[in-house]
Amino acid sequence: LLIIGERINGTRKRIGAAIRERDAGLIAQEARAQVQAGADRIDVNAGTSVADEVKDLVWLVDVVQGAVDVPLVLDSANPEALTAALKRHRGRPMVNSISGESARLTSLLPLLADSDALVVALAMDDAGMPTTVDDRLRIASAILTRTDEVGVARERVYVDPLIRPVSVDPVQAPAAAEAVARMSAELGGAGTVAGVSNISFGLPARNAVNRAFLAVLTMAGLTAAIIDPTEPGMVAAIRAGEALAGRDEFCLNYIAAARSGALAG
Amino acid sequence: LLIIGERINGTRKRIGAAIRERDAGLIAQEARAQVQAGADRIDVNAGTSVADEVKDLVWLVDVVQGAVDVPLVLDSANPEALTAALKRHRGRPMVNSISGESARLTSLLPLLADSDALVVALAMDDAGMPTTVDDRLRIASAILTRTDEVGVARERVYVDPLIRPVSVDPVQAPAAAEAVARMSAELGGAGTVAGVSNISFGLPARNAVNRAFLAVLTMAGLTAAIIDPTEPGMVAAIRAGEALAGRDEFCLNYIAAARSGALAG
């Protein structure tokens, strides 16, 4: 399972301030801490400033790739910012995200066609966020028809079923697990990805819910998780979930992770 | 979900010695620690001494019920020990366990018929432990036919799908989760129970696997768990799993547990 570290997000107050002040030390530290904790990729989101997003995102790419060796997830819906960041990125990038919304899809598909980037595809469209599992599958399928048309292989696309808080919708977690299982089986090789901690929005002691849900989604077949890998027990939940799902032959990865200390905390 | 504390088991060296030495203080402390951590019932197992089991089990019942107010799980296959312990027990007892093995079933069914005890029913028979989910369901169903015949209501029986180590059998965890879901749906109101930590036998850092698997089984509908509730994150995994499964309306139990500090550790 691909672990995407979510901490470098300009909508977070501390990170937003670090971006505005060009505090490369803090950003580099956030990147290193996440890789140390097990991140395979680092998500970089420059925040909400439309005027500055192009140069802010490029700056983030430079700082993070100067600090760590893992590839990034370029988190923006702005074609101009993504174009600049894709040029600057070393290695194979991932774009977060396209969706079934017509304007977004039309503006971002050419960027994907012109690169080898992986991409997150949110299962939502012009009608908004779907509620049923069937709707999620239908929207995902429609997006994949479009990515097929521009020559983006299924394996490059990670469909996000969109996790809503269980405090708002009590059937959200089983529905998401079912969506992940069906997407894995029915979408011709596309991956799945989820912003796991959305599930616990509005609850106290969010970590226990995040960990439990991450284990459940890993068992369901999730192929990428957008998480804070420094949050206690998150990487352990993934490694345990992989072992439990039979996705880790002879539990060798689990055993190696335990021996390296990666499951502590 | 009913939490059954498993720590007072005479096959554990320290507990076996305490039973032989009649160290009531240590046993009482083990009982209190488990109730404090969230146990709804305490399992008492006198260990392997056939000669002493009757008086050892009765002693355990007296000591534990003198220390805590929760009812017990009388863990024995010895009809004489169970008869004596059932007499001594205050409140509604639970027996651990019957199975589909003919001799065991024949000797223990009369005790159940003569009491209001709940009972754990292991999904195994004279042919041994089943490997497929269908076999587990078939054996459970055969046991329930026998308990029906002696007037034991389905609601009194908790079927145990028998958890084998994932290190030995890589499809064990999904099979167990499927068995729990099907048993919950197909066995006419019988409960389900599992000795969760068996899954991690032979692995390092067992706790992360135990926690993840407990969350998965709770999502699958498990109604009772035999665990060490003092093990970090186990009760939190249950409360989180209940919230995620929609088994906790408005997440009120989860929120209350968080506020009381029951999810710490």
Side-chain angles (χ1 to χ4, degrees):
Chain A
L1 193 145
L2 183 79
I3 301 177
I4 300 169
E6 71 187 1
R7 291 178 57 88
I8 303 181
N9 188 317
T11 64
R12 294 173 60 205
K13 202 170 167 182
R14 194 161 149 273
I15 301 296
I19 294 170
R20 282 190 304 278
E21 296 157 13
R22 293 294 187 257
D23 183 348
L26 187 145
I27 298 296
Q29 185 185 352
E30 288 284 358
R32 281 191 297 260
Q34 293 183 90
V35 171
Q36 172 93 23
D40 300 303
R41 284 183 178 267
I42 301 292
D43 188 280
V44 287
N45 179 314
T48 52
S49 165
V50 176
D52 297 326
E53 190 179 359
V54 178
K55 59 180 194 297
D56 286 354
L57 193 63
V58 168
W59 179 78
L60 281 175
V61 170
D62 287 346
V63 170
V64 175
Q65 292 214 305
V68 294
D69 281 333
V70 303
L72 308 187
V73 177
L74 307 171
D75 188 352
S76 170
N78 176 344
E80 202 190 339
L82 285 173
T83 301
L86 282 167
K87 264 186 208 145
R88 198 67 146 248
H89 184 274
R90 284 183 282 109
R92 188 173 200 177
M94 187 171 195
V95 169
N96 184 8
S97 54
I98 59 172
S99 75
E101 297 161 295
S102 326
R104 189 163 176 169
L105 201 48
T106 303
S107 66
L108 298 185
L109 279 179
L111 274 64
L112 298 172
D114 290 345
S115 79
D116 68 344
L118 308 176
V119 63
V120 173
L122 309 180
M124 62 183 292
D125 60 14
D126 293 321
M129 278 178 70
T131 49
T132 70
V133 174
D134 280 341
D135 281 343
R136 285 161 158 148
L137 268 287
R138 182 181 49 72
I139 294 170
S141 197
I143 298 171
L144 288 164
T145 300
R146 298 289 300 275
T147 50
D148 286 349
E149 285 166 4
V150 298
V152 174
R154 293 272 164 133
E155 288 67 26
R156 288 171 57 191
V157 184
Y158 289 72
V159 180
D160 183 338
L162 291 172
I163 308 301
R164 294 197 299 186
V166 69
S167 56
V168 172
D169 176 3
V171 301
Q172 182 58 205
E178 186 192 341
V180 164
R182 287 190 52 193
M183 286 169 167
S184 302
E186 300 173 21
L187 294 179
T192 51
V193 62
V196 175
S197 62
N198 291 340
I199 197 73
S200 63
F201 184 80
L203 288 177
R206 294 181 61 174
N207 176 238
V209 173
N210 293 347
R211 273 187 332 218
F213 188 48
L214 186 50
V216 166
L217 291 183
T218 303
M219 279 283 286
L222 191 72
T223 50
I226 302 175
I227 61 169
D228 176 356
T230 71
E231 187 185 328
M234 296 296 276
V235 171
I238 290 172
R239 296 290 166 248
E242 288 171 334
L244 291 172
R247 295 168 68 177
D248 175 8
E249 206 176 5
F250 306 117
C251 304
L252 290 179
N253 280 341
Y254 187 82
I255 293 167
R259 291 197 176 142
S260 75
L263 306 185
Chain B
L1 192 147
L2 184 78
I3 300 176
I4 300 170
E6 71 187 1
R7 291 178 59 87
I8 301 179
N9 188 315
T11 63
R12 294 173 62 205
K13 202 169 169 185
R14 193 160 151 274
I15 301 296
I19 294 170
R20 284 191 302 278
E21 296 157 14
R22 293 295 187 257
D23 183 348
L26 186 145
I27 299 295
Q29 185 185 351
E30 288 284 358
R32 281 190 297 260
Q34 292 182 91
V35 171
Q36 172 94 22
D40 300 304
R41 285 183 178 268
I42 300 292
D43 188 279
V44 287
N45 179 313
T48 53
S49 165
V50 175
D52 298 327
E53 189 178 0
V54 177
K55 60 180 194 297
D56 285 355
L57 192 63
V58 167
W59 180 77
L60 281 176
V61 169
D62 287 347
V63 171
V64 175
Q65 291 213 306
V68 294
D69 280 334
V70 303
L72 308 186
V73 177
L74 308 171
D75 188 352
S76 171
N78 175 344
E80 201 190 338
L82 285 173
T83 302
L86 283 166
K87 264 186 207 145
R88 199 65 147 250
H89 185 273
R90 286 182 281 106
R92 188 171 201 179
M94 188 170 196
V95 169
N96 183 10
S97 53
I98 58 173
S99 75
E101 295 160 296
S102 325
R104 187 162 177 171
L105 200 48
T106 303
S107 67
L108 298 184
L109 278 179
L111 275 64
L112 297 173
D114 290 345
S115 81
D116 68 344
L118 308 176
V119 64
V120 173
L122 308 180
M124 61 183 293
D125 61 14
D126 293 320
M129 279 178 70
T131 49
T132 70
V133 174
D134 281 341
D135 282 342
R136 285 162 159 148
L137 269 287
R138 182 183 48 73
I139 295 170
S141 198
I143 298 172
L144 288 165
T145 300
R146 299 287 301 277
T147 52
D148 286 348
E149 286 166 5
V150 299
V152 174
R154 295 273 164 131
E155 289 68 24
R156 288 171 57 191
V157 184
Y158 289 70
V159 180
D160 184 337
L162 291 173
I163 308 301
R164 294 197 299 186
V166 68
S167 56
V168 173
D169 176 3
V171 302
Q172 183 58 204
E178 187 191 342
V180 165
R182 286 190 53 194
M183 286 168 167
S184 303
E186 298 173 21
L187 295 179
T192 49
V193 62
V196 176
S197 61
N198 292 340
I199 197 74
S200 62
F201 184 80
L203 288 178
R206 295 181 62 174
N207 176 237
V209 173
N210 293 345
R211 275 189 329 219
F213 189 48
L214 186 50
V216 166
L217 290 182
T218 304
M219 278 284 286
L222 192 73
T223 50
I226 303 176
I227 60 169
D228 176 356
T230 71
E231 186 186 330
M234 295 297 275
V235 172
I238 290 172
R239 296 291 166 247
E242 289 172 333
L244 290 172
R247 294 168 69 178
D248 175 9
E249 206 176 5
F250 305 118
C251 304
L252 290 179
N253 280 342
Y254 187 83
I255 293 167
R259 289 196 177 143
S260 75
L263 306 185

